[in-house]
Amino acid sequence: MKKILDAISEEMRKAFAEAGYDEELGKVSLSNRPDLCEYQCNGAMAGAKKYHKAPIMIAGEVAEKLKDSAVFSEVNAVAPGFLNLKVSDVFLCDYLKGMEAADKFGLETPEEEKTVIVDYGGPNVAKPLHVGHLRSAVIGESVKRIARYAGYKVIGDIHLGDWGLQMGLIITELQERKPELPYFDESFTGEYPKEAPFTISELEEIYPTASGKSKEDPAYKEKAMENTFKLQNGVRGHRALWDHIISVSVADMKRNYEKLNVEFDLWNGESTVQYLLADMVEEMKKGGYAYESEGALVVDVKEESDTKEIPPCIILKSDGAALYSTTDLATISERVTKYNPDIMIYITDKRQAMHFEQVFRCARKTKLVGDDTKLVHIGFGTVNGKDGKPFKTRDGGVPRLENLIHDIDEEMFRKIVESRQEMPEEEARNIAEIVGLAAIKYGDLSNQAAKDYSFDVDRFTSFEGDTGPYILYTIVRIKSILAKYQDQGGSLENLELAPAISPDEKALMMEIAKFNTMMETAFAECAPHKICAYIYDLANAFNRFYHETKIISEEDEAKKAGLIALLVLTKEILETCIELLGFSAPDRM
């Protein structure tokens, strides 16, 4: 189905052609003066030089061709040559009927299925999820859902940090605390215990302790590096401990991500591609791409067009150890082999922009990916406190993600109880979790990903303004009206939209009509904030319409049915959008 601007522009292009001018001049855009018109066309201004005519004369001739148009109710040529446009109520209504009848409201999807991999730039195992992990999870989940809705096959991969020195540090600290464990007995040949020798709480305390010791004690760090080497070279006891670390960590992560309504198709990590590293490095050497520089193995990735210094991509350190760049390149290679993706999207802190610039260039130069594979890095900003500085707890630590979610839920519960005294506590708690999730996700996603933002519990949980609870309150209000209509004997089946009978109704219909254009942009730019901006405008348009319109009390049943049909479509659009953002609406608040 054509986007509404395309449909309107088609009518305008036809008029330019009939008036004897280039039809390409007939491009229409949303009006930048909504007080004067709904849409505008500036083609006459562009055509004046080519046709040696005053633009107002061209605009007047085109307007004359549109006087009987079924698309426009008003076409005015105004000095010095603008065409001010208002669309016909019937045309707009018919367009919405087409959206209503079409799959995905008429959003055009790819003719052939393409594959997208979303890499969430995942957390390190054995560490608690904290506020810094919020953005990759929330943005990644929404980007994944948007791409799926756009008609792509999408694979989401958490891409865990599950290899390297951090594992050696944990094993070393366990060895000091519990040397009697069979994992450290090289002569042990039996089966290792199925239960991990630590809880998630113990594990989360072990890593920072070990990390602190390694910075102060060179011998301790040396031992940790030795244990890392043993793990990576398959020493049986170390591998068994590593399995426990992964199992306990992943179980806790899944619990936390479930609270955020975030799911992954793959739970892969750096360890997944270790089998590829040696051969990949050898191929880079054979191909003449990799060479030694100051003892390290590197690939030059600078290009003649660069305006800033792009350092070489380091493949192996001077001691032969692999880096993040090495495992990221091997991961790209594995993904190409297994899934042959058309697009790979990486979502990480924007401070990693240079790393991914180097990795992407290296992957292309060394032929790990073809020219037709799109590699995208979405770099996000930091989550700050109200003071604009990185968000900290009262004691100066980084807030744990589960505590952040709990604090939002408690604030929402308090507000719901205050406003709905009669609601049972269990129901209030359930609603608080639903609305709290909307508060967190919308609070994050309504910002452009690259920008920093302040995590403000009071603002995020407000039922007024540009917030998740406001959007949900609007949906709940529509649900309430529809329920009343049904209670009065009305049916939501076989309703038919009718042309607008008021400016506020038309304004709401025009917002709905923008859905397809918005969705195409949100996918093309990997930009969930476009959806947030759209539903905020749509919610505002609905609430203005609601306050100025008799709906349930409308006596003309045909008119009432038309209004109810518009409410149903508004609700469906809003619910589709919040699903793409990763949250849902309760039935009441």
Side-chain angles (χ1 to χ4, degrees):
M1 182 176 174
K2 289 176 186 168
K3 299 187 289 292
I4 191 164
L5 268 175
D6 290 344
I8 294 170
S9 291
E10 187 177 272
E11 180 80 353
M12 183 60 70
R13 283 196 295 271
K14 189 168 67 173
F16 266 89
E18 287 177 358
Y21 302 108
D22 185 348
E23 68 171 24
E24 292 305 311
L25 297 171
K27 185 178 179 182
V28 173
S29 60
L30 272 170
S31 172
N32 56 20
R33 286 289 307 274
D35 54 318
L36 297 178
C37 59
E38 296 162 351
Y39 295 92
Q40 64 188 58
C41 175
N42 303 338
M45 304 288 288
K49 186 174 182 181
K50 179 178 179 180
Y51 293 101
H52 307 291
K53 255 186 185 180
I56 191 64
M57 290 179 66
I58 297 173
E61 291 172 36
V62 173
E64 182 64 23
K65 297 293 181 185
L66 291 166
K67 64 181 180 181
D68 296 321
S69 169
V71 173
F72 302 110
S73 59
E74 281 186 37
V75 179
N76 295 310
V78 296
F82 300 116
L83 284 158
N84 288 352
L85 314 166
K86 287 190 177 180
V87 295
S88 151
D89 293 341
V90 173
F91 165 79
L92 182 59
C93 180
D94 287 344
Y95 186 83
L96 263 60
K97 284 180 180 178
M99 288 180 64
E100 191 179 42
D103 184 40
K104 297 181 181 178
F105 308 107
L107 179 68
E108 291 186 2
T109 54
E111 290 182 5
E112 56 183 83
E113 187 178 65
K114 294 186 177 182
T115 300
V116 177
I117 291 179
V118 178
D119 183 317
Y120 288 63
N124 291 320
V125 299
K127 296 182 185 179
L129 295 175
H130 56 74
V131 65
H133 297 115
L134 176 68
R135 300 213 72 187
S136 59
V138 168
I139 296 168
E141 183 67 19
S142 185
V143 167
K144 179 182 73 178
R145 291 172 181 233
I146 291 167
R148 280 188 180 149
Y149 192 80
Y152 290 76
K153 176 185 176 183
V154 188
I155 301 164
D157 183 4
I158 190 171
H159 197 69
L160 293 166
D162 63 353
W163 207 243
L165 181 59
Q166 72 191 68
M167 297 293 107
L169 286 166
I170 293 166
I171 291 169
T172 301
E173 185 61 22
L174 279 168
Q175 194 170 17
E176 290 213 344
R177 295 183 184 191
K178 301 179 181 181
E180 73 282 359
L181 290 174
Y183 308 96
F184 305 117
D185 181 358
E186 292 186 8
S187 64
F188 183 79
T189 57
E191 283 193 20
Y192 292 111
K194 292 182 179 178
E195 290 291 317
F198 45 76
T199 64
I200 185 63
S201 298
E202 290 170 332
L203 189 60
E204 290 173 352
E205 178 269 325
I206 285 170
Y207 175 73
T209 300
S211 180
K213 284 184 181 180
S214 73
K215 291 170 184 173
E216 297 173 359
D217 185 348
Y220 187 96
K221 185 173 183 180
E222 184 65 32
K223 191 174 181 183
M225 291 173 72
E226 182 185 328
N227 278 324
T228 304
F229 180 82
K230 286 182 177 180
L231 167 67
Q232 294 180 352
N233 282 273
V235 171
R236 184 167 167 263
H238 287 59
R239 279 295 175 98
L241 265 180
W242 179 79
D243 286 338
H244 284 314
I245 294 169
I246 298 299
S247 177
V248 170
S249 290
V250 167
D252 186 63
M253 284 181 192
K254 286 183 176 179
R255 181 177 60 82
N256 277 282
Y257 282 123
E258 187 178 349
K259 289 181 180 177
L260 281 175
N261 198 19
V262 170
E263 295 180 346
F264 305 98
D265 303 293
L266 302 175
W267 284 80
N268 290 341
E270 295 169 274
S271 63
T272 309
V273 295
Q274 293 303 309
Y275 74 98
L276 286 172
L277 297 188
D279 287 347
M280 182 187 76
V281 170
E282 195 57 37
E283 286 299 315
M284 288 182 178
K285 288 179 181 176
K286 284 182 182 177
Y289 304 116
Y291 66 95
E292 277 199 20
S293 174
E294 298 179 16
L297 190 71
V298 304
V299 174
D300 274 332
V301 292
K302 63 184 178 182
E303 297 172 359
E304 289 184 10
S305 58
D306 289 336
T307 56
K308 63 179 181 180
E309 183 68 24
I310 306 291
C313 184
I314 302 175
I315 307 302
L316 295 176
K317 293 197 294 186
S318 56
D319 61 1
L323 297 92
Y324 285 126
S325 54
T326 325
T327 53
D328 279 339
L329 287 162
T331 300
I332 288 173
S333 176
E334 185 185 61
R335 287 170 177 166
V336 169
T337 301
K338 284 189 173 182
Y339 307 109
N340 191 27
D342 299 278
I343 307 171
M344 285 186 249
I345 302 170
Y346 292 74
I347 298 159
T348 72
D349 188 307
K350 64 184 178 184
R351 288 171 290 190
Q352 294 186 39
M354 178 58 77
H355 165 79
F356 282 102
E357 181 69 29
Q358 292 171 300
V359 167
F360 291 169
R361 288 188 181 193
C362 186
R364 292 203 189 282
K365 184 172 183 176
T366 59
K367 305 293 189 288
L368 294 180
V369 295
D371 293 337
D372 54 347
T373 303
K374 192 175 177 184
L375 300 171
V376 179
H377 175 235
I378 300 174
F380 54 76
T382 57
V383 180
N384 297 328
K386 288 184 182 180
D387 59 0
K389 297 177 181 177
F391 200 21
K392 301 284 185 183
T393 57
R394 288 179 181 175
D395 61 4
V398 180
R400 290 176 66 129
L401 190 53
E402 62 183 317
N403 294 341
L404 208 67
I405 296 169
H406 176 266
D407 290 347
I408 289 275
D409 288 350
E410 285 300 308
E411 180 62 16
M412 288 312 319
F413 175 70
R414 184 187 68 78
K415 289 186 175 183
I416 288 167
V417 169
E418 282 182 1
S419 63
R420 300 292 292 266
Q421 297 289 336
E422 81 289 353
M423 186 181 287
E425 180 177 341
E426 185 179 356
E427 183 183 1
R429 292 241 173 239
N430 288 337
I431 292 173
E433 287 184 10
I434 294 170
V435 183
L437 182 61
I440 290 174
K441 286 198 163 186
Y442 191 92
D444 187 301
L445 295 171
S446 57
N447 300 278
Q448 191 170 346
K451 293 182 178 178
D452 302 343
Y453 76 88
S454 295
F455 196 94
D456 185 338
V457 173
D458 293 333
R459 182 169 65 84
F460 286 3
T461 58
S462 173
F463 287 93
E464 298 177 356
D466 190 7
T467 69
Y470 170 71
I471 301 299
L472 296 196
Y473 189 75
T474 301
I475 295 171
V476 169
R477 171 174 275 169
I478 297 173
K479 287 182 176 182
S480 175
I481 298 168
L482 297 179
K484 285 179 184 176
Y485 180 70
Q486 289 176 297
D487 288 344
Q488 292 177 357
S491 171
L492 301 183
E493 302 294 323
N494 302 316
L495 293 168
E496 186 171 344
L497 289 162
I501 53 177
S502 72
D504 291 308
E505 185 180 359
K506 185 177 185 183
L508 174 58
M509 295 173 87
M510 287 183 64
E511 287 298 332
I512 291 171
K514 297 174 186 175
F515 174 79
N516 295 336
T517 302
M518 177 279 297
M519 279 304 307
E520 280 194 11
T521 305
F523 170 68
E525 299 180 10
C526 298
H529 72 278
K530 299 282 187 182
I531 297 180
C532 293
Y534 171 75
I535 57 175
Y536 180 55
D537 287 344
L538 182 56
N540 283 338
F542 167 76
N543 285 311
R544 283 191 296 269
F545 159 74
Y546 166 78
H547 287 298
E548 297 297 328
T549 309
K550 291 191 300 182
I551 302 173
I552 294 297
S553 60
E554 172 59 58
E555 295 177 359
D556 185 320
E557 289 300 324
K559 280 185 181 179
K560 186 192 289 189
L563 295 172
I564 292 295
L566 181 58
L567 263 63
V568 170
L569 182 56
T570 304
K571 180 179 82 76
E572 288 174 351
I573 294 276
L574 285 169
E575 287 180 330
T576 296
C577 288
I578 64 171
E579 173 68 21
L580 296 174
L581 297 174
F583 56 90
S584 58
D587 290 327
R588 68 170 181 154
M589 284 168 67

